[in-house]
Amino acid sequence: MTALERAIADPTPVPGIGTTSPVDGLERRSVGFVDVLAQSVSAVAPSAAATTIPLMVAVVAGGSTLWAVAVAMVLSLLIATTVNQFTRRFAATGSLYTYVSKGLGTSTGFVAGTAMLIGYGFISMFALAGAGYYVGIVLGRVWPGVTGNPVFTVALIGAMAVVVLVVIVRGIRLSTRVTLLIETVSVAIILTLIVVLLLQTGPTIDLTAFAVTGTTPANFAVGAVLAVTAFVGFESASTLGVEARRPYASVPRALVWTVIAAGVLYLLATYSQLVGFRALGLDLTSSASPVNELATAYGVEWMGLLLDLSIATSFVACAIASTTALARVLFAMGREGVVASAFGRTHRRFRTPYVAAVVGVAVVALVPMVASAAGSGLWETMQTLILIAAAGYITAYVLTCVAAPVFLHRIGELTPWVAVRAIAAAVLLAAGVVGYLVVEAASTRWFGVLVFVLLMGAGLVYSVVMRRRRPWVHGTIGVHDVPVAADVLGGPGFGGPALGGPAPRGTPGPGSTPPSRGL
């Protein structure tokens, strides 16, 4: 018998190891890298963003649209690599809320948590509204009366919300694989159209698309922030830190690769739309539906139906992924006592935070349904919802970029390059989001700015009240997964397998690393 076999057969007891994790109840260590990547990609909704963001950015950034998208991609990479300073050290469901709590304290962490709930919640509303809008367009091709009909729209959004709820309650693997399938097909359709457009416009590169003209520094900055909204949600893979099979390896890779893949797609889509309209002698900003108009102009009108279907399904995938992340942040808060403890319950069979999912889906579906019933157009509603969501995400990103160097300095692992990267991202994002909100406050979407400010204010008031009535709660914020008896050789109750047999449930994979010191 080897030393390893003797250690397994008669392990030395390890004191201080419990039998359950603070996040017990979730399906721990059950999903692989592809599932984790699918969560991030679906939350970003790249195919839907690739068809809508170039126009939104071009309206503000003018001739510098391509550069604004490129700057947004670099900025998102800075954020992703900074967030990864935490994902390599914590397996948590609270995402940025937990990370900021670890770096800047529980009070600031609560601010980040409020911002993340706003971000995930309103992007889910935006996605459901977008899915309803594009499904209405698709059905309107054969049944013209349904497009814009409020009763039909409310029923449609309600039906899709039920589908979203069933998928996310049924299990994390079903959720990630459904969204992966949808996004793969959607991106394939968008890439096909891009290739067709580039072949039609000629084999040479149109250098005029790279010119920096027709904009001011302020408008360029606002355009870049708008382009950042096409990347928000990439960090949602971190909410699967407990359920990921190799969290300290797969989550950081998923965040970075999502930004890179989505960024390349956005640059290709933006370039093809710019040169496509220029070849026609038209202006991209004058179009109401650029991709459909280009498909018609270049003789591939048949792709219009496929495009609308792909955008609609991409929005559904985004709603599933974003609500999945929302439910897990609420789950973490429920376990901490920040919100009602019922949010911290998990389904006995499916091992998902079903209470948080039910409440989350009900709220995110109700808003676009009420707006539609009140007579507000879905497209106009979507513009307001994405504004609120973007402000929430970027606020949380800023706090995370400030928290990372503080946290790393505290544990003695701060390096100059990480500090420069995090500070640069925080400064650029903070300046960008302030300018963005100021510009939007003077536009027809001022109501969105007001809602964001009021919600953040309500979160702060709730934090103060909670500190006075339940001061012990601040000592519980920052819950994350920890090693349990089943993870270690010699833990209490360890019943290890025979050498060469299957690993005990919950055993970290080869890519896992133990938490750093000083956590």
Side-chain angles (χ1 to χ4, degrees):
M1 179 179 288
T2 66
L4 178 60
E5 289 172 328
R6 285 196 299 273
I8 292 174
D10 185 20
T12 303
V14 178
I17 299 292
T19 56
T20 59
S21 165
V23 289
D24 181 60
L26 295 174
E27 196 164 11
R28 204 161 172 261
R29 307 289 181 261
S30 61
V31 295
F33 172 70
V34 173
D35 297 291
V36 176
L37 180 66
Q39 168 65 29
S40 274
V41 171
S42 302
V44 168
S47 51
T51 57
T52 55
I53 285 297
L55 172 61
M56 295 172 66
V57 177
V59 170
V60 180
S64 305
T65 299
L66 200 58
W67 286 108
V69 175
V71 167
M73 179 180 175
V74 173
L75 190 53
S76 298
L77 274 175
L78 291 178
I79 302 166
T81 52
T82 301
V83 172
N84 279 344
Q85 301 304 317
F86 292 103
T87 60
R88 292 193 183 98
R89 293 170 171 85
F90 294 105
T93 66
S95 185
L96 308 187
Y97 158 62
T98 302
Y99 306 151
V100 174
S101 301
K102 295 295 182 184
L104 300 178
T106 55
S107 295
T108 311
F110 194 87
V111 176
T114 304
M116 286 312 298
L117 290 180
I118 293 173
Y120 286 139
F122 279 85
I123 205 72
S124 301
M125 298 174 196
F126 168 79
L128 276 177
Y133 180 76
Y134 278 96
V135 170
I137 291 177
V138 171
L139 295 179
R141 292 172 181 267
V142 293
W143 188 11
V146 302
T147 304
N149 186 313
V151 176
F152 172 78
T153 302
V154 169
L156 185 60
I157 293 175
M160 289 188 295
V162 172
V163 172
V164 169
L165 178 62
V166 170
V167 171
I168 64 176
V169 169
R170 185 62 182 75
I172 186 61
R173 277 175 292 186
L174 176 64
S175 169
T176 55
R177 289 170 191 183
V178 166
T179 55
L180 177 63
L181 175 65
I182 291 173
E183 278 303 332
T184 301
V185 174
S186 300
V187 170
I189 293 172
I190 295 296
L191 283 175
T192 302
L193 179 63
I194 289 173
V195 171
V196 169
L197 287 176
L198 293 179
L199 289 176
Q200 295 266 9
T201 53
T204 58
I205 296 176
D206 186 349
L207 296 178
T208 58
F210 297 90
V212 182
T213 58
T215 187
T216 63
N219 284 340
F220 182 84
V222 173
V225 173
L226 268 174
V228 168
T229 64
F231 294 90
V232 297
F234 69 84
E235 81 301 320
S236 69
S238 61
T239 64
L240 302 187
V242 176
E243 290 145 300
R245 195 169 295 129
R246 302 173 61 198
Y248 306 114
S250 57
V251 172
R253 284 211 305 264
L255 265 58
V256 170
W257 280 110
T258 298
V259 173
I260 293 174
V264 171
L265 178 65
Y266 298 157
L267 289 173
L268 284 173
T270 304
Y271 173 80
S272 63
Q273 290 180 38
L274 287 172
V275 299
F277 273 87
R278 192 160 294 158
L280 295 172
L282 301 175
D283 185 1
L284 172 62
T285 59
S286 65
S287 173
S289 181
V291 177
N292 278 298
E293 290 181 23
L294 286 172
T296 302
Y298 286 95
V300 287
E301 189 176 3
W302 55 272
M303 291 195 69
L305 176 61
L306 287 178
L307 282 168
D308 290 336
L309 273 174
S310 70
I311 295 171
T313 53
S314 181
F315 274 127
V316 173
C318 178
I320 293 172
S322 300
T323 314
T324 295
L326 174 67
R328 277 152 182 76
V329 175
L330 286 171
F331 165 81
M333 291 181 167
R335 285 294 170 96
E336 296 164 346
V338 172
V339 295
S341 60
F343 286 98
R345 292 178 190 162
T346 53
H347 196 284
R348 186 170 299 176
R349 177 183 175 192
F350 302 129
R351 304 177 74 81
T352 51
Y354 71 102
V355 175
V358 170
V359 175
V361 170
V363 172
V364 301
L366 188 63
V367 171
M369 290 169 72
V370 169
S372 183
S376 175
L378 274 183
W379 185 251
E380 292 74 19
T381 302
M382 288 169 63
Q383 292 183 36
T384 301
L385 294 175
I386 189 66
L387 186 164
I388 302 169
Y393 275 111
I394 297 175
T395 300
Y397 291 159
V398 171
L399 293 174
T400 305
C401 290
V402 175
V406 175
F407 171 74
L408 293 174
H409 176 70
R410 186 185 306 144
I411 64 174
E413 297 180 6
L414 180 64
T415 60
W417 171 230
V418 172
V420 169
R421 202 167 54 201
I423 293 170
V427 171
L428 291 172
L429 282 172
V433 73
V434 170
Y436 177 57
L437 290 176
V438 169
V439 169
E440 293 292 355
S443 73
T444 55
R445 294 176 291 279
W446 61 269
F447 182 70
V449 179
L450 177 64
V451 170
F452 171 72
V453 172
L454 290 176
L455 287 175
M456 288 301 297
L460 290 174
V461 171
Y462 181 76
S463 174
V464 172
V465 172
M466 186 178 61
R467 178 180 285 276
R468 291 182 177 177
R469 294 188 175 181
R470 292 184 291 169
W472 55 268
V473 167
H474 280 264
T476 67
I477 290 178
V479 67
H480 59 90
D481 196 24
V482 298
V484 297
D487 297 332
V488 297
L489 190 64
F494 177 81
L499 188 63
R505 188 179 186 191
T507 300
S512 299
T513 57
S516 298
R517 60 192 169 87
L519 303 185

